[in-house]
Amino acid sequence: EGRSKLSFSFRFGLSTAQTINTDQSWKAHIHASRCDVSSGGAHYLQNQNGLDGGENIFEVVFDAKRSGDEIMGTGNVTREFLADYDRAASVVVHIADGTRILCCNLAPALPKLPDTWSATIEANINNFDAGSNLSYTMLRKEWYHAETNNLRIDEHSAYSRQTRMMNTVEERLITMHRNDTFPDGLCSDHPLQSRMSRFLTRGGTDHKIKSTAEMFSFEGDAPDEYHGITASHEYVRGVPCEKWTRNVTMGTKKYLYEFYFPVSSWMIRRESYHRMLWRVVVKSDEGFRGQPVLHFYDFIDMVPFIEEMEVFNPCNVYNTGKPLAGNCSCGRVDAPAPPPASWGGGGSGEEGM
């Protein structure tokens, strides 16, 4: 909405010898440095060339309360602009005489992720630390649409092209191949493998595909840790990014997830969106196979929309104008798009993912 709000609350105890005046109002401000740098440094100024006061800063005047040996305070203020949180670093509380008594670093939460998106994902699977020379790169184009519970994954090589479509409500998996043997395409319909269904729904019983945030992450063992802006030698594909980490336990195995998003000032030319997910790194000293894990997933051309829902129609994947081989209920390219319930003609068995 083009607004920013500072909201805070605190409570701390006093030792027997401490005295603090709560008869006069205290103040809280957003500052431009972290607490370990000059106790927060100067005030955050929205207009860096503007006045250090008024609507150009975040200032809350409030009355602190004393209850026994405890001091408590709360307050908020709203400004009619979007603060640059790359510059807003901390909140500092001043007592009546101006002394800084409290400082708290601002740690941005992970940016929100859209539940409709498409992206090319470059996965780099590094197995050298696991004692294997079998390290590789994999490129996939993915479309994700939580509202209709659809996911599509495309992979290709010099010799063939493969498409997988999944719908968790219908519990269906469509696999499609096109190569020299099947130049017009082969389409196979199967029940969605139970373990993949559990993964996509995060174990839910309603068969609804989960949000993107739930899809890309697991519940952490502790709150996410914010690491600030990457140094120049750590730029992701040349882009300065903000980094968060999350410790995750799956079964008996422990993993470290790293999430990278471009800084808020980094724009995508001629587009109205920015701050899309840029990279995810997964690390473990001992993964589920008992070996070290080091995986890099780069999200390239990630956009928060799907231009045509026809992308989930298996009949329109290859557009050859000819019937597909296999057991899918697909005719010619100009046939109406079948709903997921009518995708297949009843395949047998489950398809391994």
Side-chain angles (χ1 to χ4, degrees), residues 223-269:
D224 297 337
E225 183 177 352
Y226 177 67
H227 296 266
I229 301 172
T230 54
S232 58
H233 66 280
E234 295 179 313
Y235 285 178
V236 179
R237 308 200 313 271
V239 177
C241 288
E242 290 183 287
K243 175 184 175 181
W244 288 260
T245 57
R246 173 179 299 166
N247 292 305
V248 176
T249 300
M250 289 183 282
T252 61
K253 306 300 183 182
K254 296 186 178 297
Y255 295 83
L256 176 68
Y257 279 68
E258 298 178 354
F259 301 92
Y260 296 84
F261 288 81
V263 295
S264 61
S265 59
W266 189 273
M267 304 300 293
I268 303 206
R269 190 178 182 190

Side-chain angles (χ1 to χ4, degrees), residues 308-325:
E308 296 289 343
M309 288 301 291
E310 281 291 293
V311 74
F312 296 114
N313 176 7
C315 299
N316 286 351
V317 171
Y318 298 132
N319 290 317
T320 64
K322 298 179 180 179
L324 299 171

Side-chain angles (χ1 to χ4, degrees), residues 15-178:
S15 66
T16 305
Q18 282 183 302
T19 59
I20 293 181
N21 180 10
T22 58
D23 295 334
Q24 295 177 288
S25 295
W26 293 15
K27 293 181 180 180
H29 305 92
I30 292 182
H31 282 238
S33 298
R34 294 177 68 80
C35 297
D36 56 347
V37 180
S38 301
S39 300
H43 292 150
Y44 168 89
L45 305 181
Q46 177 65 11
N47 178 353
Q48 298 183 69
N49 298 316
L51 295 175
D52 187 359
E55 296 294 314
N56 198 39
I57 67 172
F58 287 85
E59 180 178 75
V60 182
V61 180
F62 66 99
D63 293 324
K65 307 293 184 183
R66 179 163 184 166
S67 176
D69 293 331
E70 288 191 326
I71 304 292
M72 295 161 284
T74 184
N76 65 80
V77 66
T78 299
R79 292 290 183 247
E80 299 297 322
F81 53 74
L82 287 175
D84 183 351
Y85 58 78
D86 291 337
R87 295 192 293 112
S90 62
V91 175
V92 175
V93 174
H94 309 255
I95 61 176
D97 65 5
T99 301
R100 304 184 185 199
I101 191 170
L102 296 173
C103 184
C104 177
N105 288 327
L106 290 173
L110 276 166
K112 291 184 178 180
L113 293 168
D115 291 337
T116 296
W117 54 270
S118 66
T120 296
I121 301 174
E122 180 185 286
N124 293 300
I125 311 301
N126 186 328
N127 289 321
F128 290 121
D129 289 341
S132 170
N133 290 325
L134 186 60
S135 297
Y136 57 92
T137 294
M138 178 172 59
L139 288 171
R140 295 156 53 134
K141 174 72 174 181
E142 296 195 15
W143 294 261
Y144 194 85
H145 197 265
E147 182 179 353
T148 59
N149 300 288
N150 281 310
L151 170 65
R152 172 175 165 175
I153 301 172
D154 282 10
E155 297 176 309
H156 68 274
S157 69
Y159 305 102
S160 67
R161 175 180 170 185
Q162 174 181 280
T163 292
R164 285 178 287 174
M165 296 184 184
M166 287 157 264
N167 185 284
T168 56
V169 170
E170 301 296 337
E171 291 285 347
R172 308 309 299 169
L173 166 67
I174 297 290
T175 58
M176 307 183 71
H177 300 267
R178 190 179 182 189

